[in-house]
Amino acid sequence: MSQLHYRTCHLCETMCGIEIEHDGEQVLAIRGDKNDVLSQGNICPKATGIQDIHTCPDRLRKPLKRVRKNPAEKSHDDEWVEIEWDEAIEYAAGELARIQNQHGMDSIGSYWGRSTAHNVGATLSVFPVQKIMASRNIYTGSTVDQMPHNFAWHHILGHQFLCTVPDINRTDYYLMLGTNPKVSNGAQMSTGANTYKKLNAIRERGGKCVLIDPRRTESVKYMDEHHFIRPHADAMFLLGIIQVIFAKGLAKPGRMAGHINGWQKMESVANEFDLDRIAEVTGIARADIERIAEEFATAKSAVCYGRTGVSMVQFAGLTQWLMYAVNIITGNMDEIGGMMFPKPALDSLDLTNSSWGTYHSRVSGRPEFSGEFPLAILAEEILTPGEGQLRGLVGTCGNMVLSMADGHKSEEALQALEFYVAVDPYLNETTRFADVIIPPCGPLEKGHYDMFYHLYDTINWTKYSPPLFVTEHSKWTDFEIFTDLMGRFAYKRAQNPVRKFFISCAHKLARKFIKPETIIGIGLRFGPYGKGLNPLKKDGLTLAKLKENPHGIFLGDLQYTFPEGLRTVDKKIQLTPFAFVNDLPRLKAYFVDGGMEKEAAESEFDLRIISRLTNRTLGWMHHSYRLIKGKNPCELMINPTDAEARGITAENLVSVTSRTGQIQMPVIITDEMMPGVVCMPHLWGHNRPGTRQRVANANPGVSMNDLTDVTGFDALTNNAIVNGVPVKVESVDEVTSEEATHEDETVEEYVV
Ligand code: SF4
């Protein structure tokens, strides 16, 4: 008999409510939950793929240990044998302890991929694991696509996770840069998958939506206007907007008057840039910049927001700073209809660190940010011999080979590791370099609470999802694996019997009594809406109350947070932090003093490549047949004039070459692209030797990160440059219909 289960889709920060019809063992259907307090029945196609992950025969149910053919080195011909949990975790703990004993604290490290934040057990493990390993070699997916935001929040507002959220439900003017809300449904803002309806609502109430992007994306039909912009030039556009707002006397601090430092400095900094030059290098007419600035500053409320298109570029830190500056100087920071801040039921802000430059990396001297190093230096830390060389790695929730810049360099580094334990459900492009793979249970076999993403709420709300299926595997969530691994590791590292005794007791107690639900329950009870220890506070939140409300609990609209909520020392917004002002000469050298022209004259790479999202896939959902079936989206979008100049027709296969690599794919010739810019999806490039993932491998595509450059990152924030990488595109040959579609019979065979 079929039953219904309600939970939050864990795949992205949009946090849609889903209704799962099941028979107690198998999923029968996944639909939007019409009663979900946030998403009200809206979902995107990706949610339906969760059932494929649940049933996928390639998802590991037991740990795998590598048995080397040649003891001296790993090879893709090595054998993988299934082993028991105890043996796997004991082996991993022993090897990590051995390396750290022999080579020092920083000889082991950890990597936490992007989906850590979508997984309560992994999120709750991050800080205990980092503390127990006590190594400076900490890497996360943040420096692939979001570090510039954290960097700006740290310097302007005082904490890396004081996350600004566009008040999309109440704004009158929405200026967006490098974001595609129709497809992403709102990145770094949790709206439910109905963002396009909210964009329509802005226009229906007399407001305006403006998009700045080098591609005329799927979102443009929900906009009043769209402007192409040259990749990397967004900071210049924003300087133009700020300059005009000051020049026309439209700058106003609003209710933050008296709580902002650096007002005059901001005006003088913007005035250093000539508006005609700004128009020339951005590709946006001066009259349009002046008009948008005036419209923005005079709107009843307005918000300027940007996402990956402007955080994975050469001047990403500056762009984020200037975006927030536009909001601040128009009185739209912490204002209704502007940038606002949620008040989560379980406030994780105080559990996290916020720092910059307190120590530096061993090889290239890059500064730490909030206790982590940029992912772009992971390979050099592994491959460069010397004291402190990284030899042992714990990796989870990410596929570095496909997601970080220069995939081939990542492969070389992972191959060179002395020991690598992957906590991961698949034998994929990255984990095939592991010595042992320990697989957490599937997404429906564990509870879910968005520890992290409520920091991006566009309304205040909360929801807990219990496990749908409780299986033998359920006792090995990410949290249980890390708790056991770290308990055993700490025991092996302890030097004296007394310490070993206490660690052994703590390990046993933690394994028995500390579960993610225990921590969530305590956090809710003592959070801002919690019941605390007061039995008379009937409406106070507890975990039990959330379990009684499977569609979530609405906690109110976003409210004012500042100045009390500011984390800066003087409780003021820092409009012109020195870190950003000091980076302006780099921008000037490139866009004003001839850097851009010199680069163009000297380089054979005459086009810029940017990435695009698709609404059916995320990198870690390529194991879902229903999401990746059919035509592979790895096609290069190119403007007709660029295609014609290179003799490329729609029937051609093209090669795309950068400083680091070359890939081939079919083309789409379209005026959706700005001339001079080409575009492809990222996180593809499967079917590499030694992987065990039949669905992904049957429709592999090619990897954009075989083109990106590990030495290319925003010098201020250390974020990888993925958008705007210089490339050349050449016609290779005519493509056959089979190559054009990438369809592969094995996908069908596997599903049947
Ligand atoms: S937008 Fe799609 S992937 Fe993201 S939470 Fe909603 S249904 Fe899931």
Side-chain angles (χ1 to χ4, degrees), residues 14 168 181-182 185-186 189 191-200:
T14 304
I168 188 171
K182 177 65 180 83
N185 286 300
M189 54 187 293
T191 55
N194 52 5
T195 309
Y196 70 98
K197 291 181 186 168
K198 296 181 178 185
L199 296 172
N200 283 340

Side-chain angles (χ1 to χ4, degrees), residues 9 11-12 14-16 43-44 46-47 185 193:
C9 171
L11 298 176
C12 81
T14 304
M15 295 197 286
C16 301
I43 58 170
C44 83
K46 294 187 280 289
N185 286 300

